[in-house]
Amino acid sequence: TNIGRLNNSGPATQSLTFDGSTLTWTRGGTSPEVWRTTFEYSPDGGASWTNLGGGIRIPGLPTGQAGGWQLTGLALPTNITVRARG
């Protein structure tokens, strides 16, 4: 008794973008919510990672874009791999 099952009604969506100074990780759909994020980069394809800091929560836009997380004021080297973790 008292057992339930939850099914996702649609796909999870996410996007990680960098515009030259700001990393933005948007999440939507049936993605699970996170309460804290960390952004990192790797100059060697993932063998070692450098912490960039925690993200700031940003709301979704009226156009239907998902909310997410952002880290601003960055000056990153070229040809790196970036990851966001929640």
Side-chain angles (χ1 to χ4, degrees):
T1 64
N2 299 324
I3 295 176
R5 180 181 206 165
L6 302 174
N7 291 320
N8 288 339
S9 59
T13 61
Q14 63 179 339
S15 172
L16 181 60
T17 59
F18 181 63
D19 70 3
S21 66
T22 301
L23 272 169
T24 303
W25 184 25
T26 57
R27 299 165 48 81
T30 57
S31 294
E33 188 53 73
V34 297
W35 64 275
R36 180 176 61 141
T37 62
T38 301
F39 291 97
E40 300 169 314
Y41 81 91
S42 174
D44 53 17
S48 63
W49 292 95
T50 300
N51 185 24
L52 294 169
I56 304 283
R57 182 79 168 112
I58 57 171
L61 301 174
T63 58
Q65 182 179 354
W69 299 85
Q70 222 171 43
L71 186 60
T72 61
L74 299 172
L76 298 176
T78 58
N79 299 321
I80 61 170
T81 301
V82 177
R83 74 179 176 187
R85 298 190 303 164

mmCIF file of all heavy atoms in Angstrom, residues 4-28:
data_model
loop_
_atom_site.group_PDB
_atom_site.id
_atom_site.type_symbol
_atom_site.label_atom_id
_atom_site.label_comp_id
_atom_site.label_asym_id
_atom_site.label_seq_id
_atom_site.Cartn_x
_atom_site.Cartn_y
_atom_site.Cartn_z
ATOM 1 N N GLY A 4 3.654 4.813 -5.065
ATOM 2 C CA GLY A 4 3.313 5.603 -6.248
ATOM 3 C C GLY A 4 4.422 5.534 -7.275
ATOM 4 O O GLY A 4 5.555 5.177 -6.975
ATOM 5 N N ARG A 5 4.090 5.883 -8.493
ATOM 6 C CA ARG A 5 5.067 5.911 -9.574
ATOM 7 C C ARG A 5 4.944 7.241 -10.291
ATOM 8 O O ARG A 5 3.852 7.667 -10.650
ATOM 9 C CB ARG A 5 4.799 4.767 -10.544
ATOM 10 C CG ARG A 5 5.754 4.730 -11.688
ATOM 11 C CD ARG A 5 5.427 3.592 -12.624
ATOM 12 N NE ARG A 5 6.635 3.197 -13.311
ATOM 13 C CZ ARG A 5 6.778 2.086 -13.969
ATOM 14 N NH1 ARG A 5 5.789 1.218 -14.014
ATOM 15 N NH2 ARG A 5 7.890 1.809 -14.576
ATOM 16 N N LEU A 6 6.096 7.900 -10.533
ATOM 17 C CA LEU A 6 6.121 9.165 -11.244
ATOM 18 C C LEU A 6 6.774 8.952 -12.599
ATOM 19 O O LEU A 6 7.867 8.395 -12.686
ATOM 20 C CB LEU A 6 6.904 10.213 -10.456
ATOM 21 C CG LEU A 6 6.408 10.507 -9.045
ATOM 22 C CD1 LEU A 6 7.360 11.463 -8.344
ATOM 23 C CD2 LEU A 6 5.003 11.061 -9.074
ATOM 24 N N ASN A 7 6.109 9.389 -13.642
ATOM 25 C CA ASN A 7 6.639 9.284 -15.001
ATOM 26 C C ASN A 7 6.881 10.676 -15.552
ATOM 27 O O ASN A 7 6.037 11.561 -15.398
ATOM 28 C CB ASN A 7 5.657 8.543 -15.912
ATOM 29 C CG ASN A 7 5.527 7.085 -15.559
ATOM 30 O OD1 ASN A 7 6.510 6.427 -15.248
ATOM 31 N ND2 ASN A 7 4.310 6.575 -15.590
ATOM 32 N N ASN A 8 8.018 10.872 -16.202
ATOM 33 C CA ASN A 8 8.287 12.145 -16.870
ATOM 34 C C ASN A 8 7.339 12.307 -18.038
ATOM 35 O O ASN A 8 7.140 11.384 -18.816
ATOM 36 C CB ASN A 8 9.728 12.206 -17.372
ATOM 37 C CG ASN A 8 10.717 12.356 -16.244
ATOM 38 O OD1 ASN A 8 10.363 12.783 -15.163
ATOM 39 N ND2 ASN A 8 11.955 12.011 -16.505
ATOM 40 N N SER A 9 6.796 13.508 -18.165
ATOM 41 C CA SER A 9 5.858 13.766 -19.257
ATOM 42 C C SER A 9 6.541 14.334 -20.494
ATOM 43 O O SER A 9 5.903 14.548 -21.505
ATOM 44 C CB SER A 9 4.761 14.721 -18.777
ATOM 45 O OG SER A 9 5.362 15.933 -18.351
ATOM 46 N N GLY A 10 7.835 14.619 -20.406
ATOM 47 C CA GLY A 10 8.556 15.179 -21.544
ATOM 48 C C GLY A 10 10.052 15.059 -21.314
ATOM 49 O O GLY A 10 10.498 14.610 -20.265
ATOM 50 N N PRO A 11 10.838 15.488 -22.275
ATOM 51 C CA PRO A 11 12.290 15.359 -22.150
ATOM 52 C C PRO A 11 12.895 16.430 -21.232
ATOM 53 O O PRO A 11 12.329 17.503 -21.049
ATOM 54 C CB PRO A 11 12.787 15.536 -23.575
ATOM 55 C CG PRO A 11 11.763 16.425 -24.206
ATOM 56 C CD PRO A 11 10.443 16.025 -23.570
ATOM 57 N N ALA A 12 14.048 16.125 -20.671
ATOM 58 C CA ALA A 12 14.846 17.113 -19.953
ATOM 59 C C ALA A 12 15.637 17.919 -20.980
ATOM 60 O O ALA A 12 16.085 17.381 -21.983
ATOM 61 C CB ALA A 12 15.789 16.414 -18.982
ATOM 62 N N THR A 13 15.787 19.217 -20.757
ATOM 63 C CA THR A 13 16.541 20.067 -21.678
ATOM 64 C C THR A 13 17.597 20.841 -20.904
ATOM 65 O O THR A 13 17.392 21.190 -19.745
ATOM 66 C CB THR A 13 15.630 21.067 -22.411
ATOM 67 O OG1 THR A 13 14.996 21.913 -21.451
ATOM 68 C CG2 THR A 13 14.586 20.357 -23.239
ATOM 69 N N GLN A 14 18.716 21.098 -21.552
ATOM 70 C CA GLN A 14 19.754 21.929 -20.958
ATOM 71 C C GLN A 14 20.666 22.478 -22.040
ATOM 72 O O GLN A 14 20.755 21.926 -23.136
ATOM 73 C CB GLN A 14 20.540 21.169 -19.908
ATOM 74 C CG GLN A 14 21.308 19.984 -20.418
ATOM 75 C CD GLN A 14 22.070 19.306 -19.282
ATOM 76 O OE1 GLN A 14 22.345 19.890 -18.241
ATOM 77 N NE2 GLN A 14 22.409 18.062 -19.478
ATOM 78 N N SER A 15 21.339 23.581 -21.711
ATOM 79 C CA SER A 15 22.253 24.221 -22.639
ATOM 80 C C SER A 15 23.352 24.907 -21.831
ATOM 81 O O SER A 15 23.066 25.583 -20.840
ATOM 82 C CB SER A 15 21.498 25.253 -23.478
ATOM 83 O OG SER A 15 22.392 26.013 -24.260
ATOM 84 N N LEU A 16 24.603 24.754 -22.254
ATOM 85 C CA LEU A 16 25.739 25.420 -21.615
ATOM 86 C C LEU A 16 26.387 26.317 -22.661
ATOM 87 O O LEU A 16 26.870 25.837 -23.691
ATOM 88 C CB LEU A 16 26.739 24.390 -21.088
ATOM 89 C CG LEU A 16 27.970 24.925 -20.364
ATOM 90 C CD1 LEU A 16 27.580 25.726 -19.134
ATOM 91 C CD2 LEU A 16 28.888 23.774 -19.972
ATOM 92 N N THR A 17 26.375 27.638 -22.426
ATOM 93 C CA THR A 17 26.913 28.592 -23.390
ATOM 94 C C THR A 17 27.919 29.530 -22.723
ATOM 95 O O THR A 17 27.851 29.770 -21.516
ATOM 96 C CB THR A 17 25.793 29.444 -24.023
ATOM 97 O OG1 THR A 17 25.099 30.155 -22.993
ATOM 98 C CG2 THR A 17 24.817 28.576 -24.794
ATOM 99 N N PHE A 18 28.836 30.066 -23.534
ATOM 100 C CA PHE A 18 29.818 31.045 -23.074
ATOM 101 C C PHE A 18 29.878 32.163 -24.101
ATOM 102 O O PHE A 18 30.084 31.910 -25.289
ATOM 103 C CB PHE A 18 31.195 30.388 -22.917
ATOM 104 C CG PHE A 18 32.255 31.323 -22.426
ATOM 105 C CD1 PHE A 18 32.160 31.917 -21.180
ATOM 106 C CD2 PHE A 18 33.353 31.619 -23.211
ATOM 107 C CE1 PHE A 18 33.145 32.786 -20.715
ATOM 108 C CE2 PHE A 18 34.340 32.479 -22.775
ATOM 109 C CZ PHE A 18 34.235 33.064 -21.515
ATOM 110 N N ASP A 19 29.694 33.412 -23.670
ATOM 111 C CA ASP A 19 29.665 34.537 -24.611
ATOM 112 C C ASP A 19 30.921 35.403 -24.569
ATOM 113 O O ASP A 19 30.921 36.522 -25.055
ATOM 114 C CB ASP A 19 28.422 35.395 -24.379
ATOM 115 C CG ASP A 19 28.465 36.167 -23.074
ATOM 116 O OD1 ASP A 19 29.487 36.108 -22.346
ATOM 117 O OD2 ASP A 19 27.476 36.857 -22.761
ATOM 118 N N GLY A 20 31.988 34.908 -23.970
ATOM 119 C CA GLY A 20 33.226 35.674 -23.872
ATOM 120 C C GLY A 20 33.527 36.131 -22.457
ATOM 121 O O GLY A 20 34.678 36.365 -22.111
ATOM 122 N N SER A 21 32.472 36.291 -21.625
ATOM 123 C CA SER A 21 32.702 36.667 -20.227
ATOM 124 C C SER A 21 31.701 36.013 -19.271
ATOM 125 O O SER A 21 31.880 36.072 -18.066
ATOM 126 C CB SER A 21 32.635 38.184 -20.055
ATOM 127 O OG SER A 21 31.323 38.652 -20.317
ATOM 128 N N THR A 22 30.641 35.381 -19.814
ATOM 129 C CA THR A 22 29.600 34.802 -18.972
ATOM 130 C C THR A 22 29.293 33.376 -19.387
ATOM 131 O O THR A 22 29.013 33.114 -20.560
ATOM 132 C CB THR A 22 28.299 35.639 -19.065
ATOM 133 O OG1 THR A 22 28.591 36.980 -18.651
ATOM 134 C CG2 THR A 22 27.208 35.073 -18.195
ATOM 135 N N LEU A 23 29.342 32.461 -18.423
ATOM 136 C CA LEU A 23 28.889 31.081 -18.621
ATOM 137 C C LEU A 23 27.441 31.004 -18.175
ATOM 138 O O LEU A 23 27.102 31.480 -17.083
ATOM 139 C CB LEU A 23 29.704 30.116 -17.764
ATOM 140 C CG LEU A 23 30.985 29.571 -18.340
ATOM 141 C CD1 LEU A 23 31.783 28.856 -17.267
ATOM 142 C CD2 LEU A 23 30.698 28.635 -19.485
ATOM 143 N N THR A 24 26.582 30.416 -19.011
ATOM 144 C CA THR A 24 25.179 30.269 -18.674
ATOM 145 C C THR A 24 24.765 28.826 -18.887
ATOM 146 O O THR A 24 24.962 28.275 -19.976
ATOM 147 C CB THR A 24 24.291 31.193 -19.533
ATOM 148 O OG1 THR A 24 24.730 32.539 -19.366
ATOM 149 C CG2 THR A 24 22.834 31.084 -19.130
ATOM 150 N N TRP A 25 24.194 28.228 -17.856
ATOM 151 C CA TRP A 25 23.689 26.851 -17.911
ATOM 152 C C TRP A 25 22.187 26.912 -17.702
ATOM 153 O O TRP A 25 21.716 27.153 -16.607
ATOM 154 C CB TRP A 25 24.343 26.009 -16.839
ATOM 155 C CG TRP A 25 23.981 24.554 -16.831
ATOM 156 C CD1 TRP A 25 23.542 23.803 -17.874
ATOM 157 C CD2 TRP A 25 24.056 23.670 -15.714
ATOM 158 N NE1 TRP A 25 23.345 22.500 -17.472
ATOM 159 C CE2 TRP A 25 23.652 22.395 -16.146
ATOM 160 C CE3 TRP A 25 24.434 23.838 -14.386
ATOM 161 C CZ2 TRP A 25 23.596 21.300 -15.300
ATOM 162 C CZ3 TRP A 25 24.389 22.740 -13.544
ATOM 163 C CH2 TRP A 25 23.977 21.484 -13.998
ATOM 164 N N THR A 26 21.422 26.758 -18.793
ATOM 165 C CA THR A 26 19.961 26.766 -18.679
ATOM 166 C C THR A 26 19.459 25.334 -18.614
ATOM 167 O O THR A 26 20.005 24.433 -19.242
ATOM 168 C CB THR A 26 19.290 27.501 -19.851
ATOM 169 O OG1 THR A 26 19.687 26.908 -21.080
ATOM 170 C CG2 THR A 26 19.646 28.977 -19.847
ATOM 171 N N ARG A 27 18.410 25.156 -17.828
ATOM 172 C CA ARG A 27 17.837 23.834 -17.607
ATOM 173 C C ARG A 27 16.316 23.967 -17.636
ATOM 174 O O ARG A 27 15.768 24.932 -17.146
ATOM 175 C CB ARG A 27 18.274 23.295 -16.247
ATOM 176 C CG ARG A 27 19.776 23.149 -16.124
ATOM 177 C CD ARG A 27 20.230 22.973 -14.694
ATOM 178 N NE ARG A 27 19.481 21.975 -13.952
ATOM 179 C CZ ARG A 27 19.684 20.666 -14.009
ATOM 180 N NH1 ARG A 27 20.613 20.182 -14.799
ATOM 181 N NH2 ARG A 27 18.966 19.831 -13.294
ATOM 182 N N GLY A 28 15.665 22.983 -18.221
ATOM 183 C CA GLY A 28 14.215 23.034 -18.286
ATOM 184 C C GLY A 28 13.623 21.667 -18.542
ATOM 185 O O GLY A 28 14.296 20.643 -18.433
#
